[in-house]
Each structure stands twice: as C-alpha cells, then as structure tokens.
C-alpha cells in the first residue's frame, strides 16, 4: 500500500512539472493525457502502477506511465488518471485576440478569424501575421464564426466564411459567403468576388448560432443552422444541417427538394440541438458535435433525411425521454454525461501520429484537454485526453500531420502538437 501511495505522489509531481509555465524562451512542452472510463475511479482502477527507484530518470518515469494501457468507454465519461504522454510535444506559434476559427490553406498559410470580423493570414515558415482586407462590413453579432478552404484551394484560392448578421429588424441571421483570397505582394492579402452561398431565415436573437461548416468526400458543403426551438419543422431552418454544392446550388439528391418550401430544399437532416462542430472522416462521412443543453453533449453521424430527435428525445436529459423510447429518431454514436461544451472537432488523417489516423480529436470550452475519440465503423469510444493549459477553441490538422490548437480568450495561444522528433 505504501509503495502504491508513493507512486501516486510521484505521478502528481510529474504532472505538476509537465503543466508548469516554462522559463525564458523555452516554449516547448511534453503534454499530459488522461485516460477515461465511465465506471471506475482511481481507487478502483485495477492497473499496476509503476514503482520508481531512486535512480529512475524523468524520461524513464514518462515511459513507464505512458505504457499504461488504454481505458475505453461507450457513452459518458469521468476522468480516471492523468499521465505524461511522450507521443506529443507542444510549441507556441503565436497569439491571437478572441479567435473564432482557423483553416490551413497550404503548408505555409493558416487563416485565422478573430472577433468581431477580423481575418488574418499567418505565414507558418516565419510566424508573420498579416491582416486580410475585403471582409464583409455588415454589423456582425458573433463575428466570422467559421472559415474553411475549398477542397481545391490550391487551384481556385476560394475560401468560405460563415457569419452572423444583424438585420434591420434587430434580429440575427446566418449566412455563408465565399470569396477568392488574393495573395498579393509585400504581405498584402484581400478577398474579391464575394458571393452569398447560404442565407438562413432571419429572426433569432439568442447565442445559439451553429454556423459551422465542413466539406464531405464528394465536395458538398454542410452548414449547421441556428437553434431556436423549431427543430422538427421543415418550414423553419433551426436545428437543421444545410447541404449545398460548392457554388451554393442545391444538390438534386437532397432529401427535401420536392417540398414546396424555399428552405427545405437545402436541408440534409433535422432535430439537432446545437451543432457547434463538424468534420468529415476518411470515408467522407460528416460527423457533428452538438451541445446538449441540460442533457448530454452528443457526437452524431449524419444520415440523409436523418432526424436526431430534439426536442422530443435527448440523451441523459432530466426532462426528455431517451432515444431508445422512440426508435424512429437517430441516437448519437457517443455522448458525454459530464458536459464538455463542444467547440471544435477534426478527424485526423496524417502520418505523424499513426495511432490517430481516422480518429476524431474533440475540444470543448468546459475542458482543458483534447479528447481522442476512436471511430471504428459504428463503434465509437473515447480513448484518452491530451492535457492542455486552457480550453481549446479550435483544432486543425496541418498538411504535415501535426495538430494545431488555439485557445479561447483575448490572448489566445496557438499551439503546434507534434511528435518529439518533428
């Protein structure tokens, strides 16, 4: 028992050392990850903890702790134990003011949207940051909520902006615009040819914006609509996922094109609570991360004409029945009983971290970590948590396979997570 307690104490000291601010110009850290499990606690965990001798080095302690096997769950979570994770090193690459979204355009170009409507372009090679002009000048309420690059950006230089605009009535509306990003001389960058792609029904006044975007494997653009309460109505756009072509045209195979309604033809699915992150997996399927309100936060896999149940059913809701009570609604593939406050999600596809390929990385405003979620067909499990210093607003994968994460806040740090050898 004494040696077991000693191991816990030593592990605690290690965690403190890994989380401490660096001195001087040293901005590289080894990260901490948490394994998770929905049922056990540290006192119940039947794992042999390593016993460190007086001559054990810090690197050897890290290797011992990182060798603990994965703990997986299905639905729900609670932290079990934190451990140094030798797979990752973390380097600060810059700071931004109230970032909302970011997107890699190439190996050397990173586009970052800041509150309220500032668009900046970072040159990765030298760390220089340049303002992009030509951003729409409407009175934005929640700024540029999302930015994504066209799948063929290297050929057409097209980017997409999802915005929240206040109309003459004082109410908000959601809109997606696209433009060509001109990379001028002497660090001058600007948008030209601005076009409206999607416009939602005006009239929502809450902070439940949605306004997140993702391209699928066929080049179709998905956009999450606002949340007002009419999520089950096909004549209202709230609680819906829009699907359009890259030019804004309605695809012929959208499920509701035959309905005599202007907005319904854009809809791909309905019954969403608040879709605040979307990402395509390696098969081109779209996954949606949703705020659960007073229920569980959900990870859903989109299906054509799928109805995800809100506000009729919800996972772990204190007031609504479960999905199992009404099988016509699609249940989430995974959910978090302890709310994470969904913020961002990617599906990793690079070669720098083979164990992450095809898996999701999720962040939330209520957690100071990045969650590794294994996507194995229909089987979805949380594997571990990569400890960060603050909650992460946005995650992106760079062309070299490294993971870039930017914090919430007025002095938000931009981090590059890479293999210690890169």
């Amino acid at each position: 028992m004494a040696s077991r307690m000693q191991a816990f104490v030593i592990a605690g000291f290690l965690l403190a050392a890994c989380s401490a601010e660096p001195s001087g110009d040293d901005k590289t850290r080894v990260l901490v990850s948490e394994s998770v499990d929905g049922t056990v606690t540290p006192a119940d965990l039947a794992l042999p903890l390593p016993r460190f001798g007086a001559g054990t080095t810090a690197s050897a302690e890290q290797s011992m702790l990182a060798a603990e096997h994965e703990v997986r769950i299905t639905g729900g979570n609670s932290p079990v134990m934190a451990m140094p994770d030798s797979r990752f090193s973390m380097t600060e690459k810059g700071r931004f003011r109230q970032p909302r979204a970011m997107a890699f355009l190439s190996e050397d170009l990173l586009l970052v949207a800041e509150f309220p409507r500032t668009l900046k372009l970072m040159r990765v090679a030298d760390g220089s940051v340049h303002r992009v002009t030509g951003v729409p000048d409407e009175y934005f309420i929640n700024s540029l909520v999302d930015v994504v690059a066209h799948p063929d950006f290297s050929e057409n230089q097209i980017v997409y902006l999802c915005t929240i605009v206040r109309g003459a009535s004082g109410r908000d509306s959601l809109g997606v615009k696209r433009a060509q990003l001109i990379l001028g001389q002497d660090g001058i960058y600007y948008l030209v040819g601005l076009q409206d792609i999607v416009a939602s029904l005006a009239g929502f006044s809450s902070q439940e914006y949605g306004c997140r975007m993702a391209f699928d494997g066929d080049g179709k653009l998905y956009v999450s609509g606002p949340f007002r309460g009419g999520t089950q109505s096909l004549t209202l756009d709230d609680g819906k996922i829009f699907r359009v072509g890259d030019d804004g045209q309605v695809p012929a195979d959208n499920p509701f094109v035959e309905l005599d309604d202007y907005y319904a033809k854009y809809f791909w699915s309905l019954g969403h609570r608040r879709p605040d992150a979307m990402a395509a997996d390696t098969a081109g399927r779209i996954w949606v991360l949703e705020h659960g309100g007073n229920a569980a936060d959900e990870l859903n896999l989109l299906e054509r004409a799928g109805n995800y149940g809100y506000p009729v059913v919800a996972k772990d809701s204190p007031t609504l029945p479960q999905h199992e009570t009404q099988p016509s609604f699609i249940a989430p593939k995974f959910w978090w009983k302890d709310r994470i406050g969904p913020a961002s999600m990617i599906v990793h596809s690079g070669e720098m971290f083979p164990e992450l390929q095809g898996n999701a990385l999720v962040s939330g405003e209520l957690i100071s970590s990045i969650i590794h979620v294994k996507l194995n067909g229909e089987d979805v499990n949380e594997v571990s948590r990569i400890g960060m210093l603050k909650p992460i607003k946005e995650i992106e994968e760079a062309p070299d396979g490294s993971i870039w994460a930017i914090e919430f806040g007025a002095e938000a740090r931009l981090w590059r997570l890479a293999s210690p050898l890169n």
Side-chain angles (χ1 to χ4, degrees):
M1 178 61 72
S3 60
R4 184 182 179 97
M5 289 298 296
Q6 182 184 19
F8 272 119
V9 170
I10 292 174
F13 280 119
L14 285 173
L15 291 177
C18 289
S19 300
E21 286 287 342
S23 59
D25 295 328
D26 181 13
K27 296 182 178 180
T28 302
R29 296 175 174 84
V30 175
L31 301 188
V32 173
S33 70
E34 296 177 350
S35 291
V36 295
D37 185 276
T39 57
V40 301
T41 63
D44 301 321
L45 190 62
L47 293 177
L49 295 177
R51 301 182 181 183
F52 305 127
T56 306
T57 64
S59 60
E61 291 173 1
Q62 282 191 2
S63 298
M64 291 179 185
L65 285 172
E68 299 288 354
H69 66 266
E70 296 176 347
V71 181
R72 300 178 180 174
I73 61 172
T74 302
N77 60 51
S78 58
V80 172
M81 65 182 300
M83 63 187 74
D85 193 329
S86 58
R87 295 175 301 169
F88 303 99
S89 65
M90 182 167 73
T91 306
E92 183 180 342
K93 305 300 288 186
R95 299 198 178 195
F96 291 84
R97 183 175 180 82
Q98 299 290 354
R100 289 295 183 264
M102 60 182 180
F104 271 95
L105 308 179
S106 68
E107 291 184 1
D108 189 44
L109 297 177
L110 176 65
L111 196 62
V112 180
E114 294 179 326
F115 180 87
R117 56 179 180 269
T118 300
L119 201 57
K120 293 181 177 179
L121 193 66
M122 179 179 185
R123 289 267 182 195
V124 174
D126 60 14
S128 61
V129 177
H130 311 268
R131 185 156 183 161
V132 177
T133 61
V135 176
D137 60 0
E138 294 99 332
Y139 175 48
F140 289 99
I141 302 306
N142 200 29
S143 79
L144 298 171
V145 182
D146 202 9
V147 295
V148 298
H150 191 283
D152 297 322
F153 176 84
S154 61
E155 299 175 7
N156 57 31
Q157 292 79 53
I158 291 176
V159 297
Y160 295 77
L161 316 174
C162 194
T163 66
I164 302 299
V165 182
R166 174 155 290 181
S169 65
R171 310 284 282 182
D172 297 345
S173 64
L174 176 154
V176 176
K177 303 173 186 293
R178 80 170 189 171
Q180 189 175 32
L181 176 62
I182 303 299
L183 308 178
Q185 300 297 319
D186 301 322
I188 299 175
Y189 309 95
Y190 51 96
L191 299 177
V192 299
L194 205 68
Q195 296 176 308
D196 289 318
I197 298 299
V198 175
S200 79
L201 181 68
F204 61 92
S205 59
S206 72
Q207 297 292 313
E208 311 284 0
Y209 292 145
C211 204
R212 299 290 271 181
M213 301 179 291
F215 278 97
D216 69 8
D218 296 324
K220 300 297 190 295
L221 178 66
Y222 293 72
V223 184
S224 62
F227 170 73
R228 291 189 298 272
T231 61
Q232 292 296 318
S233 172
L234 287 175
T235 61
L236 297 173
D237 60 349
D238 42 325
K240 310 300 188 302
I241 301 296
F242 295 72
R243 178 177 179 262
V244 297
D246 64 348
D247 58 356
Q249 295 297 309
V250 177
D253 60 343
N254 271 12
F256 307 112
V257 291
E258 301 300 327
L259 296 181
D260 186 20
D261 183 85
Y262 175 78
Y263 287 103
K265 63 187 179 184
Y266 290 98
F267 301 156
W268 184 253
S269 59
L270 65 155
H272 298 279
R273 167 60 176 81
R274 181 177 139 187
D276 267 1
M278 292 197 294
D281 63 17
T282 52
R285 304 177 302 175
I286 299 295
W287 294 81
V288 178
L289 188 63
E290 301 184 30
H291 270 276
N294 62 355
D297 296 327
E298 298 180 355
L299 180 58
N300 286 298
L301 177 59
L302 287 190
E303 297 182 19
R304 183 179 185 274
N307 190 333
Y308 293 82
Y310 196 83
V312 181
V313 296
K315 276 294 180 189
D316 293 319
S317 170
T319 57
L320 300 177
Q322 301 292 305
H323 287 76
E324 290 77 9
T325 65
Q326 299 194 42
S328 60
F329 295 120
I330 300 174
K333 299 300 182 185
F334 191 82
W335 64 97
W336 287 269
K337 296 177 182 178
D338 301 328
R339 295 177 59 202
I340 65 172
S344 181
M345 174 176 60
I346 64 168
V347 177
H348 195 274
S349 60
E351 297 181 356
M352 186 175 291
F353 304 106
E355 70 277 15
L356 298 181
Q357 286 183 355
N359 292 344
L361 297 174
V362 170
S363 72
E365 59 184 329
L366 301 180
I367 55 172
S368 294
S369 59
I370 295 174
I371 305 175
H372 172 195
V373 179
K374 189 167 187 178
L375 307 179
N376 184 19
E378 299 295 305
D379 184 23
V380 179
N381 291 286
E382 180 176 335
V383 176
S384 62
R385 297 193 177 192
I386 305 165
M388 303 296 290
L389 300 179
K390 287 186 176 181
I392 297 301
K393 173 61 180 173
E394 181 86 334
I395 311 168
E396 287 295 330
E397 180 183 339
D400 67 359
S402 61
I403 301 161
W404 291 56
I406 196 165
E407 300 170 345
F408 284 85
E411 287 293 330
R413 290 167 292 191
L414 173 62
W415 299 102
R416 178 179 185 260
L417 283 66
S419 165
L421 300 179
N422 289 272

